[in-house]
């Protein structure tokens, strides 16, 4: 059987490309890291691959807004080719900065006449945060997540706060089965006595003129929901299920030694993120 | 035409929060709430210059700059956007606009220029700004404080009230060449020194005389750029002339302190190891290189960036990390950076504002800025920051210390380099501007209260993405063999990089070829500019096309500046006119030997501390002491910092900086896999404790080494494969007693390295860390950072410090002595005296070896070293990290309970051991100090019984953890 070919897109400031390649190789794919300039020169190159991955990082420094300049390039230079790619039953995966880029490029949900439906804004507590969290999957038709329920992966981002323009948009995404990953309480935590009260929210320095400080809208408290995302959303797929964007890093949980508790619980067979990459490979076999 | 684009936050307003926080630090929370009640919001914005209509600026906003779900945006002519109608009904008026000073690196503006081109909008130039809005005009005193201290940092920014008076944004003006010579042949000593000072050359009398003599012989005067090159190369920063110079120490002559201590120890260790020598390249390249496995070496370098960080904490720390990342990248033929470390020393963050000397930033502002600077560079580069420490002492008030380290991975066949005659001198990466001119000489002189205003030219902002692009192409070019040598442009810029690389050959450089950020730089400015993110390659002419195309393919600029000509001379040209010709030999060997005096006198040891003393702590206060130690700033949780760093990027994380049941306990060291697919790892740890140095710098150094080693051994590093780095930050070593304390510390480094058989592989010193105010000089305490890099044979054997299960035994390994001098027990109880802990160099290596064997055999369930706060603190940390209780029922006998609980005797560990491993572990440590203390319990408490059976400490873990976490929960 031919190994599926994976294109991991490099752009200035992308920096999770090597470990994403490793994860796909562990999963049995033939993964290559390709600079965006090669695709700009020859957009048709894309069609030699079955999976397109926009990896994590800080493309163009996240200047302007996270992933925004790359999103703009994806739309301006590759928009048409990306649509063809998706419509050919191929897979697109955006991790962290890649999620920010494909969301802002309209690849997950195209904008309507009033503009974009959703965005990834600054974390509610205002800082970059590296932290392990627990996800609950509702795989539906998203092939990447087949067989997943709860699993642990780390986040590492400053702008992962998923916000929809209107409440009906979030509801619509839920009903369409596009909210495929949510932050949930870990089993260890719930055993410890449940969610503690939220520590974050608006800081006390917001005291004067608090009318101008909008309170973050969130369901579960920090740090279960680490960034304040509406509906605890961690990952979203497009209407076909074949385009997935997620803030957490599954490629950082492919080895058993990645898990922060491995010295307590013992070594697992493999990391819980590996299945996501194996699913992508299996989709083409 | 200049358009203004402004973006205002609909959600949180972090810049407004920053202003409120800093105002509160300087004026107190009550005045803040009163004075800033009308401070409404802040905006960020862009000035864009180009020949295009308002609609294009609007398109730039809509398509690129604005996130309409999180922000409001608007566009107007220059100065048209001075009031803002907030949807809440408030009309806010702009009271200040802050711009970067012209020429300061503005990465966001560069990105916008690029992205605008993607949209087909042809811009000339972009500048970013911040704007501050209030519902009412600010009263004069409030406005004054905001403008002087808070809104802008004068070193890099300007705050403007009212309209911006600008007619263009593009920088620079035509430069007219004029060769400058500096007549020095007839100057007397005073005039030579005046010249050195006024030209910021930082050369002393003997050095100026040597230069004068040299040019008299050549029968001409030096050009300005020749003098600058000599000053740069001979600076303390570049040549380390004090530590390599002659030192008269208590009547004995030391010819080269480093050679006789630290290098010397390494040489001795290498020869003793013989065929097992694992050093590859030590103290010669930009980083020290040791073997990792059959295919790769690892290298490690730690640098300081203290003075820039004092003036502009964000930029100083940002470029500090950016600079040290280029060290491994410039080692051998280029190592890929795989992890970073950072260690900071600050004044206490709760320092009252009226205790700040003039010209000094508040330590909390310094700390916040430094952490952000490291965060933004490391995270953007995709290099995990995995280890660090923070020390607090009031003497760092004017002189914070910022240590940044980087470990790199290099294929074994790429570890050596040599520029060949005929190779092209190629500059790659960022462009050259007036950035940081005089950085090298500036970091060798003391800071003063005037530094904030006069030294600004030496402070910079980095652009991590430029460096990331550089890294990406260098690794590819290395693997394709496209160059024969590489080095980074650090302090001294091209001058240092090309001067060093061409030392054995000779070099000819055409300065006008260097790509510039803007016009108008003189040939001298081009040569000594310290613009960031630049490297120099020696490229064989036949490889040049391939290298050029590779760089071009990823939008990295590469320019051939000249050739390494086998002339033995450094020759510089500007548009074919020669502007410098210096003998490489004079440049590198002509500096007169520095001779310094050093003295050390052991202070009479104060009364032994502990029993019998008047203010001895009563047994019922031990819990309170433990809580005080846990919440002291040195010991407390640094989670606020650690989580802002990506410590897992590159996918090799094995032991994280935070560990335990809730992922928030203090790991001893971090472990990463440099090569995915192999289980061989590296452990990185550090040791630093300036408090011991006040008692005896010899023991401070020995203890710092022991601590760094303990940390990496505790997680599973092989004690036979541990390499060390030294970073000395000292006061003014022209004072004999200050230099004497440094000599003491260096001697300890030699003695302990030899006893442990652990080589030093690289190091750096930063001297003259003193702050002058009109009234007094504040010198930092002598501060030695030791970093340790250990090889972990199989990371699946690694151990973490959190207790794992109830029902296990735990043991104390090592000797506990009455050594409370410099301890945290004394610090929090306000006492002094006693003996500083001494390292037992005969016993320690045996303990490390046995502990490693126990870990390898799988006998150790958890392991934590004992450091600040001694046994009680270590047990508390292990217990709350694992959420497992502790019952100590056999504390043992010692001089006093205080000593048993809080002494900081080195080379000690607590081990948690399963019942079925107790016998094997006891046998393993037979004949060595290893005592069973008690057992782990499921009740979440820490209980420690004294010799007579009474409970000395009985505290719930949640309270201990809260004490440990609350201090820096920002």
């Amino acid at each position: 059987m031919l190994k599926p070919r994976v294109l991991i897109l490099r752009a200035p400031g992308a920096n999770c490309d090597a470990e994403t390649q490793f994860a796909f190789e562990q999963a049995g794919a033939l993964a290559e890291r390709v600079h965006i300039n090669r695709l700009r020169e020859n957009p048709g190159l894309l069609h030699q691959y079955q999976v397109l991955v926009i990896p994590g990082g800080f493309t163009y420094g996240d200047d302007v807004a996270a992933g925004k300049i790359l999103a703009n390039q994806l739309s301006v230079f590759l928009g048409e080719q990306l649509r063809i790619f998706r419509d050919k039953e191929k897979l697109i995966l955006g991790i962290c900065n890649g999620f920010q880029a494909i969301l802002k490029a309209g690849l997950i949900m195209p904008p309507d006449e009033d503009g974009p439906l959703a965005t990834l804004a600054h974390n509610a507590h205002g800082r970059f945060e590296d932290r392990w969290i627990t996800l609950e999957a509702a795989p539906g038709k998203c092939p990447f997540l087949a067989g997943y329920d709860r699993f642990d992966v780390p986040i590492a981002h400053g702008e992962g706060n998923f916000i929809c323009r209107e409440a009906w948009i979030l509801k619509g995404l839920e009903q369409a089965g596009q909210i495929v990953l949510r932050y949930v309480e870990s089993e260890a935590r719930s055993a410890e006595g449940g969610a503690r009260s939220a520590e974050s929210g608006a800081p006390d320095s917001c005291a004067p003129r608090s009318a101008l400080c909008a309170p973050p809208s969130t369901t579960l408290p920090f740090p279960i929901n680490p960034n304040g995302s509406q509906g605890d959303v961690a990952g979203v797929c497009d209407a076909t299920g074949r385009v997935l964007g997620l803030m957490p890093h599954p490629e950082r949980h492919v080895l058993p030694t990645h898990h922060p508790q491995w010295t307590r619980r013992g070594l697992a067979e493999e990391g819980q993120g590996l299945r996501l990459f194996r699913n992508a490979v299996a989709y083409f076999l | 035409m200049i358009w203004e684009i402004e973006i205002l936050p609909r959600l949180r307003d972090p810049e407004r929060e920053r202003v409120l926080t800093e105002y509160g630090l300087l004026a107190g929370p009550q005045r803040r709430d009163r004075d800033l009640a009308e401070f409404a919001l802040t905006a960020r914005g862009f000035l864009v210059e180009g020949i295009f209509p308002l609609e294009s600026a609007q398109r730039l906003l809509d398509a690129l700059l604005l996130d309409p779900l999180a922000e409001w945006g608007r566009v107007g002519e220059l100065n048209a956007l001075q009031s803002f109608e907030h949807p809440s009904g408030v009309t806010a008026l702009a009271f200040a606009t802050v711009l970067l000073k012209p020429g300061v690196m503005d990465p966001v503006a560069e990105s916008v220029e690029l992205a605008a081109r993607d949209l087909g909008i042809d811009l000339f130039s972009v500048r970013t700004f911040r704007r501050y809005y209030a519902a009412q005009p600010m009263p004069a005193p409030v406005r004054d404080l905001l403008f002087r201290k808070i809104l802008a940092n004068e070193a890099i920014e300007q705050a403007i009230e009212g309209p911006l008076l600008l007619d263009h944004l593009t920088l620079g003006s035509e430069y007219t060449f004029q060769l400058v010579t500096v007549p020095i042949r007839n100057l007397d000593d005073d005039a030579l020194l005046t010249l050195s000072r006024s030209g910021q050359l930082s050369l002393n009398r003997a050095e100026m005389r040597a230069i004068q003599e040299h040019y008299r012989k050549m029968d001409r005067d030096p050009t300005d750029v020749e003098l600058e090159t000599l000053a740069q190369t001979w600076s303390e920063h570049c040549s380390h002339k004090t530590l390599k110079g002659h030192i008269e120490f208590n009547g004995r002559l030391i010819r080269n302190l480093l050679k006789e201590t630290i290098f010397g120890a390494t040489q001795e260790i290498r020869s003793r190891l013989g065929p097992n020598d694992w050093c590859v390249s030590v103290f010669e390249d930009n980083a020290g290189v040791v073997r990792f496995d059959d295919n790769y070496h690892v290298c490690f370098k730690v640098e300081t960036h203290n003075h820039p960080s004092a003036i502009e904490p964000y930029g100083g720390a940002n470029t500090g990390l950016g600079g040290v990342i280029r060290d491994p990248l410039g080692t051998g033929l280029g190592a890929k950076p795989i992890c970073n470390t950072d260690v900071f020393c600050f004044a206490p963050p709760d320092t009252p504002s009226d205790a700040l000397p003039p010209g000094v930033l508040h330590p909390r502002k310094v700390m916040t800025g430094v952490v952000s600077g490291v965060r933004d560079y490391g995270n953007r580069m995709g290099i995990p920051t995995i280890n660090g420490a923070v020390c607090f002492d009031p003497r760092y008030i004017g002189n914070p210390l910022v240590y940044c380290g980087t470990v790199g991975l290099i294929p074994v066949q790429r570890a050596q380099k040599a520029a060949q005659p005929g190779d092209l001198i190629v500059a790659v990466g960022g462009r050259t501007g007036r950035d940081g001119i005089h950085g090298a000489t500036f970091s060798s002189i003391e800071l003063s209260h005037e530094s904030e205003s006069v030294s600004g030219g030496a402070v910079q902002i980095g652009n991590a993405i430029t460096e990331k692009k550089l890294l990406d192409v260098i690794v590819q070019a290395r693997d394709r063999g496209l160059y024969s040598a590489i080095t980074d442009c650090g302090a001294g810029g091209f001058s240092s990089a090309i001067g060093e690389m061409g030392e054995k050959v000779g070099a000819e450089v055409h300065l006008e070829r260097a790509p510039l950020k803007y016009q108008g730089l003189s040939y001298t400015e081009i040569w000594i500019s310290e613009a960031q993110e630049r490297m120099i390659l020696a490229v064989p002419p036949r490889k040049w096309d391939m290298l050029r195309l590779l760089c071009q393919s990823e939008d990295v600029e590469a320019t051939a500046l000249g050739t390494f000509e086998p002339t033995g001379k450094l020759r510089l040209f500007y548009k074919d006119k020669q502007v410098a010709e210096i003998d490489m030999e004079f440049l590198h060997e002509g500096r007169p030997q520095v001779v310094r005096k050093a003295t050390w006198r052991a202070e009479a040891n104060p009364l032994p501390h502990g029993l019998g003393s008047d203010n001895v702590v009563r047994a019922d206060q031990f819990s309170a002491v433990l809580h005080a130690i846990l919440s002291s700033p040195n010991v407390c949780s640094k989670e606020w910092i650690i989580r802002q760093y990506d410590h897992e990027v590159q996918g090799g994380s094995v032991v994280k900086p935070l560990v335990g049941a809730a992922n928030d306990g203090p790991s001893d060291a971090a472990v990463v896999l440099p090569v995915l697919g192999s289980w061989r790892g590296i452990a990185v740890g550090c040791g630093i404790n300036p408090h011991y140095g006040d008692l005896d710098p010899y023991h401070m150094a020995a203890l710092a080494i022991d601590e760094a080693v303990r940390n990496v051994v505790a997680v599973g590093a092989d004690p036979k494969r541990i390499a060390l780095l030294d970073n000395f930050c000292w006061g003014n070593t022209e004072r004999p007693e200050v230099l004497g304390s440094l000599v003491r510390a260096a001697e300890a480094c030699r003695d302990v390295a030899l006893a442990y058989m652990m080589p030093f592989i690289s190091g750096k010193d930063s001297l003259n860390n003193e702050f002058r105010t009109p009234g007094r000089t504040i010198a930092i305490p002598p501060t030695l950072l030791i970093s340790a890099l250990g090889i972990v044979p199989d990371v699946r054997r690694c151990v973490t410090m959190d207790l794992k299960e109830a029902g296990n035994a735990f043991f104390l390994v090592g000797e506990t002595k009455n050594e409370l001098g410099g301890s945290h027990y004394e610090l929090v109880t306000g006492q002094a005296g006693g003996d500083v802990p001494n390292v037992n160099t005969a016993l320690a290596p045996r303990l490390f070896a046995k502990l490693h064997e126990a870990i390898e055999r799988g006998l150790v369930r958890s392991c934590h070293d004992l450091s600040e706060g001694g046994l009680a603190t270590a047990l508390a940390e292990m217990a709350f990290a694992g959420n497992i209780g502790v019952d100590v029922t056999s504390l043992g006998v010692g001089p006093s309970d205080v000593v048993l609980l809080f002494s900081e005797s080195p080379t000690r560990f607590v081990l948690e051991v399963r019942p079925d491993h107790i016998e094997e572990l006891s046998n393993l440590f037979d004949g060595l100090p290893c005592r069973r203390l008690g057992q782990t319990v499921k009740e979440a408490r820490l209980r420690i019984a004294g010799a007579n059976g009474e409970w000395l400490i009985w505290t719930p873990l949640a309270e201990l953890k809260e004490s440990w976490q609350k201090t820096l929960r920002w």
Side-chain angles (χ1 to χ4, degrees), chain A residues 10 15 19 37-38 61 63-64 73 119 124-125 128 130 132 205 208-209 212 252 258 261-264, chain B residues 12 16 20 67 86 111 118 380 553-554 643 646-648 650-651 656 660 663 800 802-803 861 882:
Chain A
R10 284 172 56 220
N15 61 33
E19 56 268 41
N37 285 356
R38 306 293 80 71
D63 298 333
V64 179
Q73 294 185 331
T119 192
H125 70 20
F128 181 96
D130 180 329
W132 279 70
S205 56
R209 284 248 160 253
L212 297 181
R252 296 188 188 178
H258 281 147
Q261 307 273 321
W262 75 266
T263 60
R264 302 181 71 77
Chain B
R12 275 182 82 152
R16 179 171 172 278
L20 291 170
D67 186 336
H86 194 277
S111 292
D118 290 342
R380 279 168 172 69
S553 78
E554 301 204 358
R643 292 212 183 278
D646 189 337
H647 45 260
E648 296 173 287
Q650 298 195 12
K656 300 175 208 307
N663 303 330
T800 53
D802 46 309
L803 291 180
R861 199 65 187 102

Side-chain angles (χ1 to χ4, degrees), chain B residues 40-298:
Chain B
L41 82 167
T42 73
R44 61 193 179 91
F46 303 87
L47 300 175
V48 295
E49 183 181 15
I51 303 174
F52 51 77
L54 183 68
E55 292 70 47
S56 295
Q58 184 72 44
R59 192 159 71 87
L60 194 61
L61 174 70
D62 293 338
L64 184 72
L65 301 175
L66 180 71
D67 186 336
L69 273 61
E71 297 158 332
W72 295 290
R74 51 196 193 139
V75 178
E77 288 180 19
L78 183 66
N79 295 320
L81 313 174
Q82 292 280 325
S83 77
F84 181 67
E85 303 283 336
H86 194 277
S88 68
V90 179
T91 299
L93 300 169
F95 66 90
T97 303
V98 173
L99 294 158
L100 286 170
K101 286 187 173 168
V104 173
M105 166 71 74
D106 189 347
V108 176
E110 287 188 9
S111 292
V112 170
E113 286 173 23
L114 178 137
R117 280 197 293 277
D118 290 342
L119 288 171
I121 298 171
D122 193 19
L123 291 170
F124 297 165
S125 194
V126 176
R127 279 177 79 180
T128 60
F129 66 82
R130 299 193 301 272
R131 188 163 284 156
Y132 299 82
Y133 284 95
Q136 296 292 330
M138 293 280 172
V142 178
R143 184 199 155 284
D144 186 53
L145 182 60
L146 286 170
F147 272 71
R148 271 193 307 116
K149 296 278 185 188
I150 297 173
L151 297 184
N153 183 324
E154 279 184 6
I156 53 163
E157 294 168 331
Q158 51 197 351
I160 295 159
E161 192 174 19
L164 304 175
L165 303 174
L166 288 165
D167 50 16
H168 62 89
L169 300 179
T170 33
L171 286 175
S173 51
E174 199 64 25
Y175 166 67
T176 316
F177 173 76
Q178 195 184 3
L179 183 66
V180 179
T181 55
V182 185
I184 66 164
R185 283 175 293 174
N186 298 320
L187 298 184
D188 63 15
D189 277 7
D190 284 349
L192 284 174
L193 281 177
T194 307
L195 174 65
S196 171
R197 249 195 315 274
S198 63
Q200 288 191 47
L201 301 174
S202 299
L203 294 169
N204 66 25
R205 187 187 308 257
E207 290 159 349
M208 288 302 287
R209 273 197 199 151
I211 293 170
Q212 185 181 48
E213 197 51 38
H214 181 73
Y215 281 93
R216 277 182 182 158
K217 268 191 228 150
M218 295 207 301
D219 206 17
R220 68 172 175 95
D221 280 315
T223 64
D224 57 344
V225 70
E226 288 176 329
L227 211 47
E228 292 277 5
T229 305
L230 288 161
Q232 212 67 265
T233 312
W234 292 6
S235 71
E236 184 65 62
H237 189 95
C238 295
S239 73
H240 304 278
K241 52 196 175 192
T242 299
L243 299 199
K244 291 178 178 172
H246 290 185
I247 298 175
E248 216 184 286
F249 179 57
N250 284 356
R252 171 167 68 91
L253 181 70
I254 300 171
R255 293 193 174 278
N256 178 326
L257 178 66
L258 287 179
K259 266 195 185 148
E260 290 183 22
T261 56
I262 293 166
F263 301 169
T266 297
Q267 281 172 338
E268 172 68 24
I269 291 168
R270 296 186 71 175
S271 79
R272 280 195 217 163
L273 285 173
N276 290 323
D277 173 26
W278 63 301
C279 296
V280 176
S281 143
V282 288
F283 294 106
E284 51 191 46
D285 210 330
N286 288 315
V289 187
V290 291
R291 274 190 230 149
F292 176 66
D293 64 13
D294 292 343
N295 302 316
Y296 293 97
H297 299 315
V298 281

